[in-house]
Amino acid sequence: MNTAMLNTAVRAARNASGLIKRYMGRTDSLKIDQKHLNDFVTEVDKLSEQEIIGTLSEAYPDHAIYAEESGKHNKGDDDNKPTWIIDPLDGTTNFIHDIPQFAISIGMKAEGHLQVGVIYDPVRDELFTAMRGDGARLNNRKIRINPNTRLQGSLLGTGFPYYQYDHLDHYLAILKEVITKTSGVRRPGSAALDLAYTAAGRFDGFWEFNLQAWDIAAGALLVQEAGGIITDFNGEHDYMQTGDVLCGPPRVHQELLDIIRATA
Ligand code: 2AM
Ligand code: CA
């Protein structure tokens, strides 16, 4: 069941990526709207989302869909319906600026758990996949987090607050600690890819405030299936609701959580 869903999600992501690639480097001719402060959407986000929803709903007409640009579809009264959680273009700001760091993210939640996660980087043709209980893969090769990694000597990914500044002082206090205790920090601009990179061991951890469920769903499963820990800033599992995400190998996760608590 999950294998069939994973294959369908991969097909949906690849179809959408063909479309995104056609517009790459031609973004000056695109119509760009601002949804909220600093939150942009292009025609490409919308077309990509339509393409993905078309593929998924044809294969699974009974499933619900929760997508960044068009919201909820086919939800009905049943809160526990299997649900596809879609970000059709994560890293839109990069895309608009012709910075080649963006991805398609498709997660599937059913029976209270994330079951399938797909993150596809069309620029590098990197396909990150995970199935619950079956591990995580990059282009079909297993990826695993190194469980012995510690904060000292690590390279972390993060996202700066860009529209909600209530936690800016807390964020900067965390950053100050992290800068002095690690080898470095990167802010690439696609949270989905940051999570995929953490699953692949490229980053030794990641944290960001105020993300959305579609930024997180697929990447959270990837991190877990690669052997990492992902929580909210209380060390609990409400990260899809709160949008506050902290993840990495167990030790890095704990050390980061200690910093987040000590600076709050
Ligand atoms: P999006 O491109 O799908 O909106 C990283 O901070 C996350 O925040 C990204 O995954 C990105 O998802 C979202 N985001 C939206 N607007 C942003 C902006 N102006 N700068 C950085 N990230 C932004
Ligand atoms: Ca996003």
Side-chain angles (χ1 to χ4, degrees):
M1 176 65 177
N2 280 0
T3 308
M5 292 200 297
L6 181 72
N7 291 340
T8 306
V10 168
R11 192 154 44 86
R14 286 200 187 275
N15 289 346
S17 79
L19 202 149
I20 292 172
K21 279 203 270 196
R22 282 205 291 284
Y23 286 93
M24 255 162 54
R26 296 169 35 203
T27 41
D28 44 352
S29 61
L30 279 180
K31 189 169 161 294
I32 300 168
D33 294 325
Q34 193 163 175
K35 290 189 282 187
H36 311 283
L37 174 71
N38 291 337
D39 190 359
F40 301 99
V41 59
T42 71
E43 295 156 65
V44 183
D45 298 64
K46 293 178 190 164
L47 289 170
S48 170
E49 183 161 306
Q50 282 165 17
E51 177 74 42
I52 294 165
I53 292 177
T55 306
L56 296 177
S57 55
E58 191 180 298
Y60 298 103
D62 297 337
H63 289 183
I65 282 173
Y66 184 38
E68 173 160 14
E69 309 308 339
S70 59
K72 293 185 172 145
H73 303 249
N74 204 20
K75 188 175 163 292
D77 307 326
D78 179 5
D79 283 341
N80 295 319
K81 238 184 181 184
T83 302
W84 294 93
I85 305 167
I86 303 166
D87 192 331
L89 179 47
D90 185 55
T92 301
T93 303
N94 282 342
F95 181 75
I96 292 168
H97 287 261
D98 286 337
I99 295 170
Q101 181 76 7
F102 46 83
I104 293 153
S105 176
I106 303 175
M108 142 59 63
K109 193 171 179 183
E111 294 163 7
H113 296 283
L114 294 161
Q115 304 288 343
V116 159
V118 170
I119 296 175
Y120 184 56
D121 170 350
V123 176
R124 300 179 184 83
D125 189 24
E126 288 192 323
L127 178 69
F128 298 87
T129 54
M131 267 195 306
R132 182 170 148 79
D134 185 57
R137 291 177 171 77
L138 163 54
N139 290 344
N140 274 326
R141 290 219 175 133
K142 276 246 176 181
I143 47 179
R144 250 203 106 66
I145 278 173
N146 179 354
N148 300 318
T149 312
R150 314 191 64 136
L151 196 62
Q152 190 180 10
S154 68
L155 179 69
L156 302 185
T158 188
F160 304 143
Y162 61 90
Y163 73 103
Q164 231 276 30
Y165 302 117
D166 294 358
H167 302 292
L168 187 57
D169 287 339
H170 186 196
Y171 181 84
L172 292 173
I174 299 166
L175 184 64
K176 188 172 176 187
E177 284 293 303
V178 164
I179 283 175
T180 54
K181 293 193 164 126
T182 61
S183 290
V185 182
R186 301 287 182 267
R187 197 280 190 246
S190 159
L193 277 184
D194 295 339
L195 292 167
Y197 282 21
T198 306
R202 293 175 178 177
F203 286 151
D204 302 310
F206 166 79
W207 88 98
E208 183 162 349
F209 282 90
N210 285 129
L211 288 168
Q212 303 291 335
W214 46 75
D215 303 316
I216 306 168
L221 186 63
L222 270 152
V223 168
Q224 288 169 335
E225 288 295 327
I229 309 282
I230 179 162
T231 67
D232 58 24
F233 291 172
N234 294 316
E236 307 285 347
H237 296 285
D238 292 331
Y239 50 88
M240 295 263 279
Q241 288 76 41
T242 63
D244 299 335
V245 173
L246 155 66
C247 71
R251 286 175 174 202
V252 175
H253 174 272
Q254 185 59 52
E255 287 178 86
L256 267 174
L257 186 57
D258 291 345
I259 290 174
I260 290 172
R261 285 185 168 143
T263 47

